[in-house]
Amino acid sequence: MTQPVTIIMVEDDEGHARLIERNIRRSGVNNEIVSFTTGTDAMRHLFGADGSGLVQKGNALLILLDLNLPDMTGIDILKQIKENKYLKASPVVVLTTTDDSQEIKRCYELGCNVYITKPVNYENFANAIRQLGLFFSVIQVPPAAP
Amino acid sequence: MTAEGQRRRAFWQILLFAAGLFVLTAISAGSVYLVNKAREDSKWVIHTIEAQNQINALLLEIRRAESTARGYLLTRRSDFKADHDKAVAAIVPALDRLTRLTGDNPQQRKSIETLSSAIETRLGQFAQEMEFIRQDQPEKAAALVSELASADTTAAIAEVATGMLREEERLFRLRTVNSDRSQTLAASMTGIGSGLVVVLALISIWLVRRSARVRDEAEARLRDANLNLEAVVDERTADLREANDEIQRFAYIVSHDLRSPLVNIMGFTSELEELGGDIFRRIGSLSHAPAEGAPLAPAGPGEIALEGADKQLQEDFSEALGFIKSSIAKMDRLISAILNLTREGRREFQPVKVDTRELIEAIVTTLAHQAAEAQAEIHVEPLPALVSDRLALEQIFSNLIDNAIKYLKPRVPGEIRIRGRTKLGYAIFEVSDNGRGIDPKDHQRIFDLFRRAGTQDKPGQGIGLAHVRALVRRLGGTMSVSSELNTGSTFTITLPIAWNVSNRNRDR
């Protein structure tokens, strides 16, 4: 039996986190969502105390990442995830206010799977998240590594 | 080098020059005078010698006359007679010459008078002698001769002549000394003058060399100052650039970070709106339920009309939310504008050759619809081509032309004209219209971010002209406006014809 996918949300703004979670739930996705408001906490959870990522071995993850974090940039986190052998297969969705084309390009180069700009217009925002939720419901996360 | 020192040096140089000139003039005048004097003195020396010669010649002629007279008396040979006649004939002219020569000296003139009377006597005696000989009375003649020899006429002549010779000798010595003195004076004057001139020239050379040294030092200092100035300018430019970059970063970060809470405000306002909808639906269903007498099915999507105070509440609620939402939308637009401006400020420009006319005609084509709606005609005159950033030029001109169309006078056919010319390496473009114009007191304001002027009847954020001016400045140009209310506006843009990226890179 496949293990349920856990959604890891790294988002410093609790309001954004709440809005995202709410809209994901509205789209009918009921997977567990684990939120972190700082990069350090997220890194500890993802890579474990030893930083090897062994703790997540065998877990199916989907990572929602904000780029503007108070203690580090999301780009660093993205880079480390994609360089770690236990985590690199997990899809990463970058969800941020930055719509700078250079930054978008850089994220895709580093292995980000989806890049979404948070629109201020709430309709669009809600739509984007709901569609992301739909996307989650059909996405096939690779089976946990043995 | 102080101005005071400079003036003093110049004064000394002029003084030296004047002194040299004066010395030279004095030497020249003195030399001329002394040389003339020496010549005069020499002339007098020669004059004295001549006078001496003349006295001697006179005496010689008298002796000759005497001796020939004696010879004739003894031999009666006619050649002695001829010689005697010649000698006697020569005496008078010789005496006359002597008289002329010594005419300047009163003492000599007196001697001459004595001499000439003695000579006259002597000549008479010669004539008597000759007469006796002719009458063939030689003994009488001989007697006369011997008498004469003892008489003092000859001695007197000799004495007077010797006196005259002595006088001339004295004059000769005196005049020789004079002449020598004049010549020595002339020589020493020339010598001293030359020495003075040499000394003045040396002082002058020293002064010139000193001022040259001072000038060299000043030049060196000036060079240093220039280098220093360049360094200072570079430093300041670097500071300014840093400050500018800082502002850009600041604007970017601020606008970015302002956006984040805005997402929340907007998001939760929408949530609130939805909640409000739910609440009012529930109120509606509760207030309607007794009337319909049956429990209402779970609230459907359909709107339930509210009444009275409830309706008022719902309206107030929606109105408040509407204001919040429109304010958020406006704030979002402003933040986006700042973001775009800073992003534009960070974009690297690429200088390419741009056919400006073609570019502007392309813009006019895209704006053709708006122009037709505003009944505006757009005339594009021949424009100079330039090397610049194409995208920036497009943004500049489309903003200006768009503004010109947007702010035409209602019900007046618009006429928009784009002219161009070149001047001193710059291309000058003018975009003029016959629109509503801008009050002169607003000319500065329209270039400020988020500021607009005139009747606010057209949509806009007050960003266009600020953006255009920022672009023009980045392209190394300037921009100005001339306009009166109701008579149209002319925007003038001056851009370098050959803007090159190296300038820009150095500036960055």
Side-chain angles (χ1 to χ4, degrees):
Chain A
M1 181 191 157
T2 48
Q3 198 184 347
V5 176
T6 308
I7 298 174
I8 308 278
M9 179 159 63
V10 189
E11 169 64 70
D12 66 312
D13 191 312
E14 284 176 37
H16 289 192
R18 191 79 189 95
L19 288 173
I20 292 167
E21 195 179 340
R22 224 180 245 195
N23 281 290
I24 287 174
R25 294 287 178 240
R26 277 189 193 139
S27 67
V29 172
N30 290 312
N31 298 50
E32 185 194 1
I33 297 176
V34 187
S35 282
F36 298 96
T37 52
T38 65
T40 320
D41 290 347
M43 291 295 275
R44 194 173 305 123
H45 179 81
L46 285 171
F47 294 90
D50 59 350
S52 65
L54 199 65
V55 283
Q56 296 296 345
K57 185 181 170 189
N59 291 344
L61 301 175
L62 190 145
I63 300 156
L64 271 175
L65 190 58
D66 184 16
L67 290 186
N68 299 304
L69 296 172
D71 53 349
M72 59 172 70
T73 76
I75 291 208
D76 280 344
I77 299 176
L78 173 65
K79 205 162 142 189
Q80 289 186 43
I81 289 171
K82 289 302 173 184
E83 278 168 2
N84 186 287
K85 62 176 176 177
Y86 303 109
L87 296 169
K88 64 182 173 192
S90 309
V92 176
V93 176
V94 173
L95 190 61
T96 186
T97 44
T98 318
D99 58 353
D100 188 81
S101 58
Q102 291 294 321
E103 201 135 75
I104 296 173
K105 194 171 158 223
R106 190 162 154 69
C107 283
Y108 279 115
E109 275 167 6
L110 288 173
C112 136
N113 303 76
V114 181
Y115 189 105
I116 297 172
T117 307
K118 294 176 197 163
V120 175
N121 184 316
Y122 189 63
E123 297 289 303
N124 296 351
F125 183 80
N127 262 334
I129 302 297
R130 278 176 207 161
Q131 273 160 24
L132 187 66
L134 293 177
F135 174 65
F136 289 166
S137 62
V138 295
I139 195 170
Q140 287 294 313
V141 174
Chain B
M1 183 162 61
T2 61
E4 180 60 32
Q6 219 172 9
R7 247 201 318 278
R8 218 172 36 229
R9 238 191 320 282
F11 171 74
W12 275 112
Q13 270 166 1
I14 289 168
L15 197 74
L16 266 177
F17 185 70
L21 207 67
F22 173 74
V23 167
L24 268 179
T25 318
I27 289 167
S28 305
S31 293
V32 167
Y33 170 72
L34 285 173
V35 164
N36 275 337
K37 191 162 182 310
R39 204 164 54 204
E40 193 79 358
D41 288 347
S42 303
K43 209 175 81 197
W44 281 112
V45 169
I46 291 163
H47 177 83
T48 312
I49 292 167
E50 268 179 3
Q52 275 176 338
N53 280 345
Q54 201 53 47
I55 292 165
N56 284 330
L58 181 65
L59 284 177
L60 190 68
E61 290 301 330
I62 293 167
R63 291 272 149 73
R64 228 176 90 203
E66 268 176 23
S67 58
T68 45
R70 277 176 200 158
Y72 185 49
L73 185 64
L74 292 174
T75 61
R76 302 284 181 87
R77 274 172 53 187
S78 63
D79 51 343
F80 277 117
K81 168 87 166 89
D83 274 357
H84 176 77
D85 287 349
K86 226 185 324 189
V88 168
I91 285 171
V92 176
L95 183 64
D96 284 352
R97 256 218 331 274
L98 186 61
T99 311
R100 269 204 312 280
L101 276 174
T102 54
D104 59 312
N105 193 324
Q107 203 187 331
Q108 294 290 67
R109 226 172 18 236
K110 229 158 58 209
S111 304
I112 286 282
E113 271 165 31
T114 324
L115 189 65
S116 51
S117 64
I119 284 171
E120 220 168 288
T121 320
R122 195 71 183 91
L123 283 174
Q125 290 164 348
F126 281 140
Q128 220 175 344
E129 267 180 53
M130 288 300 125
E131 189 57 37
F132 285 138
I133 293 168
R134 201 169 50 77
Q135 288 167 1
D136 217 8
Q137 294 172 318
E139 56 286 350
K140 262 193 187 167
L144 186 62
V145 167
S146 56
E147 186 202 329
L148 283 175
S150 62
D152 54 5
T153 316
T154 316
I157 290 174
E159 198 187 321
V160 172
T162 313
M164 284 180 74
L165 277 173
R166 251 203 310 278
E167 173 64 15
E168 290 298 329
E169 183 72 20
R170 190 186 62 84
L171 282 174
F172 174 73
R173 261 199 303 278
L174 189 74
R175 285 168 177 172
T176 313
V177 167
N178 268 347
S179 166
D180 280 357
R181 208 179 44 225
S182 297
Q183 273 169 14
T184 315
L185 251 168
S188 49
M189 180 147 200
T190 310
I192 290 169
S194 308
L196 258 176
V197 167
V198 167
V199 167
L200 288 178
L202 283 176
I203 294 176
S204 214
I205 287 171
W206 177 73
L207 272 180
V208 165
R209 286 189 58 173
R210 203 180 61 173
S211 80
R213 202 178 55 236
V214 169
R215 196 194 55 219
D216 286 353
E217 277 168 14
E219 252 173 33
R221 268 203 303 277
L222 195 65
R223 237 187 345 262
D224 285 356
N226 267 342
L227 284 178
N228 207 20
L229 192 67
E230 262 170 42
V232 168
V233 167
D234 282 352
E235 208 173 287
R236 297 274 155 81
T237 314
D239 286 353
L240 282 177
R241 210 175 294 142
E242 213 164 279
N244 192 37
D245 288 352
E246 186 101 342
I247 289 171
Q248 294 261 355
R249 271 197 304 279
F250 173 77
Y252 187 75
I253 288 170
V254 163
S255 51
H256 213 269
D257 288 6
L258 283 179
R259 225 178 182 181
S260 211
L262 208 58
V263 171
N264 277 341
I265 297 171
M266 194 64 181
F268 285 105
T269 307
S270 299
E271 294 282 318
L272 212 57
E273 197 176 21
E274 222 159 282
L275 276 176
D278 286 352
I279 289 167
F280 285 114
R281 247 196 310 281
R282 185 163 288 190
I283 291 172
S285 65
L286 287 176
S287 58
H288 278 269
E292 288 179 9
L296 202 77
E303 276 297 312
I304 296 162
L306 293 173
E307 280 159 8
D310 290 341
K311 191 176 160 122
Q312 187 60 41
L313 265 180
Q314 190 193 21
E315 274 168 8
D316 287 354
F317 187 83
S318 317
E319 190 189 46
L321 280 179
F323 276 120
I324 293 174
K325 283 176 100 170
S326 68
S327 298
I328 293 168
K330 181 164 186 197
M331 190 155 174
D332 179 47
R333 281 198 302 275
L334 297 183
I335 290 172
S336 298
I338 298 177
L339 258 179
N340 283 334
L341 272 181
T342 58
R343 200 167 289 157
E344 207 44 64
R346 286 139 70 105
R347 189 171 74 82
E348 286 292 331
F349 281 179
Q350 292 296 326
V352 288
K353 197 159 168 47
V354 182
D355 181 344
T356 326
R357 187 164 187 191
E358 188 188 304
L359 180 133
I360 288 181
E361 272 167 356
I363 294 170
V364 169
T365 313
T366 61
L367 293 171
H369 178 65
Q370 283 104 301
E373 255 180 17
Q375 293 178 306
E377 266 188 53
I378 304 178
H379 305 278
V380 183
E381 292 182 5
L383 300 170
L386 40 91
V387 175
S388 210
D389 185 82
R390 194 181 177 89
L391 188 59
L393 286 181
E394 259 171 28
Q395 289 174 340
I396 290 169
F397 286 111
S398 59
N399 259 299
L400 288 180
I401 298 169
D402 189 45
N403 274 352
I405 296 172
K406 203 157 135 189
Y407 299 111
L408 284 171
K409 273 183 281 194
R411 289 175 299 282
V412 175
E415 193 178 317
I416 296 160
R417 201 168 281 280
I418 297 120
R419 278 184 293 263
R421 62 199 154 96
T422 60
K423 189 179 180 185
L424 298 172
Y426 282 88
I428 301 167
F429 298 97
E430 286 177 358
V431 179
S432 53
D433 61 61
N434 60 346
R436 57 168 75 163
I438 303 154
D439 194 322
K441 72 175 162 52
D442 288 328
H443 283 185
Q444 202 48 48
R445 187 184 149 81
I446 52 168
F447 291 109
D448 290 344
L449 193 58
F450 303 142
R451 296 288 171 272
R452 305 173 74 201
T455 325
Q456 303 291 311
D457 58 349
K458 302 279 178 184
Q461 311 297 328
I463 289 164
L465 284 176
H467 186 199
V468 166
R469 187 163 72 167
L471 286 172
V472 169
R473 281 189 178 158
R474 275 195 67 195
L475 287 175
T478 55
M479 175 174 189
S480 64
V481 62
S482 69
S483 175
E484 291 284 331
L485 267 179
N486 298 322
T487 55
S489 317
T490 301
F491 285 87
T492 309
I493 294 173
T494 309
L495 290 171
I497 289 176
W499 180 75
N500 69 54
V501 80
S502 69
N503 283 353
R504 186 64 211 169
N505 285 347
R506 206 186 57 212
D507 290 350
R508 282 186 77 86

